[in-house]
Amino acid sequence: MLTFILKRMCLMFIVILGVTMMTFLIMHFTPGDPAEMIAMARYGVDDLTQEDIEWIRVQEGLDAPLHIQYIKWLNHAIHGDLGCSLINGQPVLSEILVRFPATIKLAAVSMLVALIIAIPVGIISATRQYSLTDNVSMMGAMLGVSMPNFWLGLLLILLFSVHLGWFPVCGYGGFEYIILPALTLGTGMAAITTRLTRSSMLEVLRQDYIRTARAKGLSEKVVISKHALKNALIPIVTVIGMQFGRVLEGAVIIETIFAWPGIGKLLVDSIYARDFAMIQGGVLFVAVIFVIVNLVVDISYTYLDPRIRYEGVK
């Protein structure tokens, strides 16, 4: 197990390095002069001169070759220094940590919504295969997979905020503010997890040990909860870990739509302002969380299924 974890940590470093490198290149290849945009954000448009732009370019190191800029940033990042925002001068890590609780709160509630919907519906669909309940559930799951998050969010705002007035349109505050964003993110995840739960349960329910458990006279509730569900959880746990990454990805759009002050909205605002330091720091932070969650998912397999061991992994 220790060897497996060490190998995965080495791969994690390679993945994070690749993500930050691609982000750095994409940001520098986008149209527009970053020095000019930073100068406009700091000094305004009216009194801006070419000398101000060139001073910003030199001051922020934007005149150096791309590989030199990246190496300098990477060296600071390895030592825990993500730099300061090019727009407001605030430390990047501090800004991210201030926004992180809002993103985690949204992600946790969204995952809870998805699991509350997906696992019971998936189990019921598997135990009642081809019934009306199963067909309706799979049609709903197909609709949830097909509908873009941003479109669903706008529909929920139109219905529950504009017409019914039940929830706030946007903002951050009490529990009523998180309901619509969490439903928007959680519904899409629930659709995917429901389909996987159903297929995984169907595969397990056809196994010989399930028939043996039923032949022994165990109730259907015991067969499902103690024998079938635990063995069907491995692919579900995998998808849940991957869905957490989708939460962070979808939060970029959803936090912008609902004005939710998380890391996603911070990244969008930084992209508009061409704040390279904030973008690089935010992407690095999200990538680290994503790979750590995947490592935890892999380790959890050994507890869900004792037959899985990693000692022999090459």
Side-chain angles (χ1 to χ4, degrees):
M1 175 66 77
L2 180 60
T3 303
F4 169 77
I5 293 175
L6 292 175
K7 289 181 179 179
R8 283 300 305 270
M9 291 181 68
C10 292
L11 291 175
M12 286 166 53
F13 177 77
I14 295 173
V15 170
I16 292 172
L17 185 66
V19 168
T20 57
M21 188 179 299
M22 290 299 297
T23 304
F24 190 87
L25 292 175
I26 290 172
M27 286 304 303
H28 279 81
F29 288 154
T30 52
D33 184 359
E36 182 179 354
M37 298 188 69
I38 294 168
M40 290 171 58
R42 289 187 184 178
Y43 307 123
V45 180
D46 297 333
D47 301 326
L48 187 63
T49 64
Q50 188 63 35
E51 288 75 14
D52 294 331
I53 296 174
E54 294 303 322
W55 185 85
I56 289 289
R57 195 187 313 279
V58 175
Q59 185 73 14
E60 301 298 340
L62 298 174
D63 58 332
L66 289 183
H67 65 281
I68 299 298
Q69 294 184 45
Y70 178 74
I71 291 173
K72 288 175 62 177
W73 175 86
L74 185 62
N75 180 55
H76 286 290
I78 290 174
H79 291 86
D81 179 17
L82 298 181
C84 295
S85 170
L86 302 180
I87 304 301
N88 56 28
Q90 297 297 317
V92 170
L93 186 58
S94 299
E95 289 286 306
I96 292 174
L97 293 178
V98 168
R99 303 291 191 103
F100 185 56
T103 296
I104 285 296
K105 182 179 178 181
L106 178 59
V109 177
S110 300
M111 293 292 293
L112 182 63
V113 169
L115 294 178
I116 288 175
I117 297 173
I119 293 182
V121 173
I123 293 173
I124 293 172
S125 295
T127 54
R128 301 178 182 178
Q129 188 179 14
Y130 303 130
S131 66
L132 178 62
T133 302
D134 182 27
N135 292 331
V136 171
S137 300
M138 290 302 99
M139 287 179 62
M142 182 64 69
L143 180 63
V145 171
S146 305
M147 182 175 293
N149 280 340
F150 70 89
W151 178 246
L152 177 60
L154 294 174
L155 292 179
L156 292 179
I157 290 174
L158 186 63
L159 175 61
F160 293 106
S161 298
V162 177
H163 290 298
L164 298 178
W166 291 357
F167 305 111
V169 174
C170 60
Y172 182 77
F175 182 71
E176 66 275 11
Y177 286 90
I178 201 173
I179 293 177
L180 293 185
L183 281 176
T184 304
L185 274 178
T187 303
M189 292 186 292
I192 296 174
T193 310
T194 297
R195 292 169 61 87
L196 183 66
T197 302
R198 177 183 181 274
S199 61
S200 182
M201 284 292 296
L202 285 174
E203 182 179 353
V204 170
L205 289 173
R206 297 189 182 103
Q207 301 299 315
D208 291 338
Y209 65 87
I210 296 296
R211 287 192 286 269
T212 302
R214 286 170 172 162
K216 289 181 178 180
L218 297 178
S219 66
E220 191 67 14
K221 181 179 179 181
V222 173
V223 171
I224 296 298
S225 60
K226 291 189 176 181
H227 295 275
L229 181 58
K230 183 177 180 180
N231 290 285
L233 277 178
I234 292 179
I236 299 173
V237 169
T238 303
V239 167
I240 291 173
M242 296 175 63
Q243 290 295 324
F244 186 82
R246 187 181 176 187
V247 168
L248 298 178
E249 172 193 340
V252 174
I253 299 175
I254 301 306
E255 287 181 3
T256 303
I257 292 175
F258 290 95
W260 189 264
I263 296 177
K265 189 172 187 305
L266 177 64
L267 283 173
V268 171
D269 294 339
S270 301
I271 290 171
Y272 281 128
R274 296 292 291 273
D275 191 344
F276 289 171
M278 192 65 73
I279 296 170
Q280 284 289 111
V283 171
L284 173 63
F285 192 82
V286 171
V288 169
I289 293 175
F290 182 73
V291 295
I292 289 176
V293 168
N294 277 274
L295 177 62
V296 172
V297 168
D298 287 343
I299 295 174
S300 67
Y301 289 167
T302 60
Y303 298 97
L304 292 173
D305 191 344
R307 296 172 297 178
I308 297 177
R309 291 291 182 268
Y310 292 119
E311 285 82 354
V313 176
K314 301 299 183 182

